[in-house]
Amino acid sequence: MSTRHPDDEILLAYAAGTASHGTALLVATHITYCPLCRGKLQAMEQVGGALMEALEPAAVSAGARDRVMALLDGDPRLGTSDSRPPVTAVTGRTVLPRALREAAGSDADGLAWQPVLSGVDQVLIGKAVPGGERTRLMRIRAGRAVPRHTHRGSEMVCVIAGGFRDVLGHYGPGDVAVADDAVDHQPVADDDRDCICLAVTEAPVRLTGRFWRWLNPFVQF
Amino acid sequence: MSRIAMTLPGRSMPAATARAGLGMIEAGWARSLVLARATRLDTAMQRDSAPDVRAVETTADGRSLAALVDAVARNRDRQAFGALFDHLMPRVKAYAMRLGASGPAAEEVAQEVMLLIWRKADSFDPARATVSTWVFTIARNKRIDLLRRENRPALDPGDPMLVPDSPRPADETIERDAAEIRLRAAIRTLPPEQAELLSMAYFEDRSHSAIAAATNLPLGTVKSRIRLALDRLRRSFKDE
């Protein structure tokens, strides 16, 4: 299955606050590009607010009100910024959406890219838990193909720069591709520039191309 | 002021949306929110001149929650904050308990959320969200921050990378309060089997597969019931 957007379950998990770190990062990245999903998400948050409002109110202990009122004096005012300073310096040629830059530590050009396969580099984001979710930025050199692979589990990819094509179509910046274990695909980066994308994999992908198959146990891809 | 002129033409939109067919269904969520926002801005602009007597979000004694947040933001109004506390604290605490916190832990989380409401009152924008939506996101984020040490990935609305929302035509304005009333009515009238699963999706830290396992329902049933519930609530945003 493939769409250009994360499906409703993913958006709902983000809205409800139950999404994993990698999934939340992918959603925050995608909605930077996608007003449609941003709107869906806001609607889901409004539903969340209405559901919270509809809960049976819990009894609050007697002293709670006075305790909180006493804490108000001299309490700092955070203002409208949501405590994040505005983006000023933009470094490098490939600018990442803010959530992604904060998670990765820098814009794309400043990252410590590790070659994983010919024409493919990656940067792991966060700690990879064995058997668990893996979040990474991938850079596929212009015109190069990622070896054929399937997935034990699902993989979501959000394109940041450039684009790629696979059996299911073409993906450009902001587009999300979802692949599960039924899909054996071979993404090919556009010819004109490197393709950078965020990939969140539930379990490591499994290479299926003839040449790559034997590499599987060694390549943490 | 121009309020009546702006809100009346709103009814023409849903019919057009309905005619547009399948392609519009996806867009419906986004569209209805943009529409709802437009009217909220309208409400906010006239708040100084007249009390919003038709406000949906009110305390038990009929005070507008949005006006109370505004009073806290503008004047650091402690009395207004007290009224917000009385209304919101038991609900935020209930939310934390629904998510598995014990009574005392839930109360602590809810107190921190109330303090954030005091600090961040300036950031409440009635053009972007209802008070309950705003409080829900604060409570949700607080909980995630407490659960996880790593940074919570979040959209920065000021990101230069942001692709902006498309501008909305002036005649696509519907009545915000009516939309919120319809949403709440739609939640109350959800079929119980849908309401239960929707609550689990929001209030239990579980994937749809985990919900399926916990309820002994096939995964497809879980997904379709949640989808039906969301679609129904989405439609309630629109005047259909």
Side-chain angles (χ1 to χ4, degrees), chain B residues 158-180:
Chain B
D159 193 334
M161 295 285 287
L162 193 82
V163 177
D165 297 331
S166 43
R168 41 174 202 266
D171 66 343
E172 283 194 337
T173 301
I174 56 165
E175 223 287 313
R176 168 197 66 155
D177 291 346
E180 184 69 21

Side-chain angles (χ1 to χ4, degrees), chain A residues 9 42-43 46 61 75 77, chain B residues 29 37 73 107 119 223:
Chain A
E9 177 178 2
Q42 281 160 346
Q46 188 166 353
S61 69
D75 201 68
R77 186 174 178 143
Chain B
W29 278 95
R37 272 192 214 163
E107 189 146 316
R119 285 176 205 155
K223 283 178 182 289

Side-chain angles (χ1 to χ4, degrees), chain A:
Chain A
M1 190 192 81
S2 166
T3 61
R4 297 292 188 275
H5 306 276
D7 71 20
D8 282 358
E9 177 178 2
I10 301 288
L11 291 179
L12 183 56
Y14 183 93
T18 59
S20 67
H21 187 262
T23 301
L25 187 58
L26 186 126
V27 171
T29 300
H30 174 72
I31 61 177
T32 304
Y33 298 91
C34 182
L36 178 72
C37 288
R38 209 152 64 221
K40 275 181 148 184
L41 203 57
Q42 281 160 346
M44 288 170 173
E45 287 171 348
Q46 188 166 353
V47 169
L51 286 173
M52 184 171 85
E53 185 72 26
L55 289 174
E56 182 67 34
V60 174
S61 69
R65 193 182 204 269
D66 290 344
R67 259 197 314 279
V68 171
M69 294 302 282
L71 288 169
L72 301 184
D73 295 315
D75 201 68
R77 186 174 178 143
L78 291 187
T80 54
S81 68
D82 213 9
S83 69
R84 288 211 275 184
V87 176
T88 48
V90 166
T91 55
R93 283 164 299 136
T94 304
V95 181
L96 302 177
R98 182 167 196 164
L100 193 48
R101 178 154 21 97
E102 286 174 349
S106 108
D107 268 322
D109 296 331
L111 296 174
W113 291 96
Q114 304 284 328
V116 270
L117 295 163
S118 173
V120 183
D121 306 310
Q122 73 174 21
V123 178
L124 281 175
I125 295 176
K127 255 193 326 209
V129 185
E133 178 182 80
R134 182 183 299 268
T135 305
R136 67 226 151 100
L137 275 168
M138 284 177 55
R139 181 172 65 191
I140 312 165
R141 295 296 184 178
R144 301 295 291 270
V146 176
R148 298 179 70 83
H149 60 283
T150 58
H151 304 268
R152 280 169 287 184
S154 70
E155 180 183 60
M156 281 188 298
V157 171
C158 182
V159 178
I160 312 299
F164 70 81
R165 180 174 294 285
D166 69 9
V167 288
L168 299 163
H170 182 266
Y171 297 83
D175 285 346
V176 169
V178 181
D180 59 24
D181 49 13
V183 182
D184 179 352
H185 67 156
Q186 183 169 31
V188 180
D190 292 352
D191 287 330
D192 56 340
R193 66 175 294 184
D194 294 352
C195 173
I196 293 177
C197 37
L198 172 69
V200 180
T201 318
E202 230 170 62
V205 296
R206 178 170 44 181
L207 304 176
T208 52
R210 272 185 309 159
F211 176 68
W212 296 105
R213 201 186 303 272
W214 65 274
L215 265 180
N216 248 342
F218 311 110
V219 182
Q220 282 299 300
F221 179 69

